[in-house]
Amino acid sequence: MINKKMEQLGKVRSVIRELFEYGKKRKAEIGEDKVFDFSLGNPSVPAPDCVNETIKELLDTQSPLDLHGYTSAQGDAGVRKAIADYLNENHGSAFTADSIYMTVGAAASLTISLNALCNEGDEVIAFAPFFPEYRVFTEGAGATFKALPPTEDFQIDPVALSAAINKNTKAVILNSPNNPSGVVITEAGVKALTDVLKEKSAEYGKPIYLITDEPYRELVYGDVFVPFLTNYYDNTLVCYSFSKSLSIPGERIGYIAVNPKMGNAGDVYAAVCGAGRALGYVCAPSIFQRVAAACLGQTADVSVYKHNRDLIYGALCEYGYTCVKPDGAFYLFVKAMEEDASAFCEKAKAKELLLVPADSFGCPGYVRISYCVSTKQIEDSLPAFKALAEEYNK
Ligand code: PLP
């Protein structure tokens, strides 16, 4: 018998993918511009020039054998040093090349970190709303996934966290700026969270690790401070990805930064290398390791997302929707106008608005709108959003 769990994962698409596939079919039937697809978090702003320029330069100047060959399993040493230096300069951290492990994006950063840390019977906690794949990744690492309910402002509830931690808790996953809420956890929230982790680690006499999932780190609007977690908590693994910041999600490049300040940093880094090996990653893409290093500190034009955010948030609030104001990422989290978010999304679908019900994000009653689309799509969709609200307010 084959692995039934894997068979099930392969057969049942995520709600987001299901909707995206529906959107493609619907566009073929009635026309591209008639369907307002807000399902996927695929960047809509082109990569900054440094991406293509670096690729061209590498092709023109490097030996093909070198460029297309395997790198060290943990990533090219020069690339890892460049990332460590960049992080230290910007966040006052103390990483070295040997704290950094290159991955194929945030998803791999997470699966490797979870496999590196977890044993059978361990528990991993995340805060709702959460990226639905956390459950898949955690269970794939042999651990149990535990979700904490959302708070009213989508920040951290330290009391609930404290109550949820037990002797089996191995790690807590934090995602800020958050997919799907767009919320950035405040410094006070981070301090409250890390205070609980310190207290509970002492109580159980073992480290409870913090895994920070940060693909949206640079996607923040206005004067918003995004705390860098290793400055608050020693037992932190930073899971980063260039997918969103450089608009290169298909190229699959990211890294794990293991905080050298944690007591057993060398062992944890070795376990990260071991998990990468056991999962068969071999090494991250060679060209894109170099591209990432050359483009550190650069991003796609984030002002486009800010413009989209202002436009859709402003309009939907005006039409009577209850929206969470997103300070970062490129998602708007909206309260469904009836209890069942899926039923609400079906009514939206009838107006060609493709919205994602947030049940699988651990947040029933809400929907996610990905505003990483063209500004024109948002403008054209507004009458449909208005009509949908009017249908409920009749
Ligand atoms: N974590 C979160 C919160 C995400 O939103 C995503 C992608 O949308 C990922 C991880 C996976 O990112 P990557 O494409 O870099 O694997």
Side-chain angles (χ1 to χ4, degrees):
M1 192 167 70
I2 62 169
N3 185 315
K4 285 287 155 196
K5 190 159 183 198
M6 293 302 149
E7 184 185 339
Q8 176 79 357
L9 278 176
K11 281 186 174 162
V12 183
R13 270 200 295 252
S14 75
V15 184
I16 302 171
R17 286 277 156 190
E18 200 68 60
L19 205 57
F20 177 63
E21 293 303 324
Y22 167 84
K24 280 203 291 195
K25 213 175 87 214
R26 188 72 181 140
K27 281 176 185 173
E29 283 166 11
I30 66 166
E32 281 278 326
D33 58 336
K34 306 267 180 326
V35 182
F36 309 116
D37 183 356
F38 294 100
S39 63
L40 271 195
N42 215 358
S44 56
V45 178
D49 290 344
C50 68
V51 169
N52 286 352
E53 281 164 9
T54 308
I55 296 170
K56 285 183 203 147
E57 194 190 315
L58 287 168
L59 292 174
D60 287 345
T61 59
Q62 303 292 304
S63 129
L65 284 179
D66 219 25
L67 198 57
H68 302 303
Y70 295 120
T71 68
S72 300
Q74 64 270 46
D76 177 82
V79 169
R80 289 184 290 118
K81 181 172 184 322
I83 291 172
D85 290 348
Y86 171 78
L87 292 175
N88 297 344
E89 219 168 277
N90 284 278
H91 303 295
S93 47
F95 296 111
T96 68
D98 292 334
S99 322
I100 309 293
Y101 180 93
M102 300 305 295
T103 66
V104 291
S109 301
L110 290 161
T111 54
I112 292 172
S113 298
L114 289 164
N115 276 275
L117 298 176
C118 292
N119 293 297
E120 206 69 40
D122 284 344
E123 291 182 2
V124 174
I125 297 174
F127 307 93
F130 53 82
F131 184 52
E133 297 300 85
Y134 291 165
R135 184 185 297 282
V136 179
F137 297 164
T138 301
E139 290 174 359
T144 303
F145 182 73
K146 209 164 165 179
L148 293 185
T151 64
E152 220 163 274
D153 56 0
F154 300 101
Q155 291 280 337
I156 303 287
D157 178 352
V159 177
L161 174 63
S162 181
I165 292 176
N166 62 40
K167 64 177 181 6
N168 297 322
T169 307
K170 180 52 64 72
V172 171
I173 305 177
L174 181 71
N175 169 224
S176 169
N178 182 265
N179 171 12
S181 71
V183 163
V184 174
I185 302 300
T186 61
E187 186 177 34
V190 162
K191 283 183 174 157
L193 159 74
T194 52
D195 281 350
V196 171
L197 295 185
K198 285 172 200 165
E199 186 193 304
K200 288 288 171 182
S201 294
E203 182 181 331
Y204 290 108
K206 58 157 204 175
I208 297 170
Y209 294 94
L210 179 61
I211 299 175
T212 63
D213 179 23
E214 307 201 344
Y216 303 99
R217 163 160 285 279
E218 296 84 2
L219 271 59
V220 284
Y221 313 116
D223 208 10
V224 178
F225 175 57
V226 185
F228 193 72
L229 267 298
T230 60
N231 292 336
Y232 299 83
Y233 190 62
D234 289 350
N235 293 312
T236 298
L237 288 87
V238 179
C239 290
Y240 184 79
S241 167
F242 296 91
S243 294
K244 318 284 176 169
S245 58
L246 290 181
S247 290
I248 52 171
E251 305 299 354
R252 314 306 303 142
I253 191 75
Y255 60 80
I256 301 165
V258 176
N259 191 359
K261 287 193 273 179
M262 69 176 72
N264 54 346
D267 294 341
V268 172
Y269 187 78
V272 162
C273 295
R277 178 180 170 193
L279 292 167
Y281 283 117
V282 182
C283 69
S286 162
I287 293 181
F288 274 87
Q289 288 189 42
R290 276 121 174 148
V291 170
C295 298
L296 286 166
Q298 306 224 30
T299 64
D301 183 358
V302 175
S303 70
V304 180
Y305 297 134
K306 181 178 183 305
H307 180 72
N308 284 358
R309 178 201 69 161
D310 292 346
L311 180 63
I312 194 159
Y313 175 74
L316 266 58
C317 289
E318 189 192 313
Y319 303 155
Y321 291 92
T322 305
C323 307
V324 180
K325 178 144 194 225
D327 281 326
F330 38 46
Y331 306 103
L332 181 65
F333 212 44
V334 181
K335 205 166 186 333
M337 289 185 154
E338 61 184 289
E339 207 176 321
D340 180 351
S342 297
F344 175 73
C345 289
E346 281 305 311
K347 293 204 179 90
K349 215 170 174 185
K351 301 203 177 323
E352 311 302 346
L353 293 169
L354 306 189
L355 320 179
V356 179
D359 300 64
S360 61
F361 294 89
C363 205
Y366 277 79
V367 300
R368 187 190 80 170
I369 296 172
S370 294
Y371 58 80
C372 46
V373 296
S374 70
T375 303
K376 181 165 180 350
Q377 177 179 318
I378 297 176
E379 285 162 355
D380 292 350
S381 71
L382 293 182
F385 276 112
K386 191 164 187 227
L388 181 64
E390 280 166 2
E391 212 172 285
Y392 282 93
N393 293 330
K394 263 199 297 233

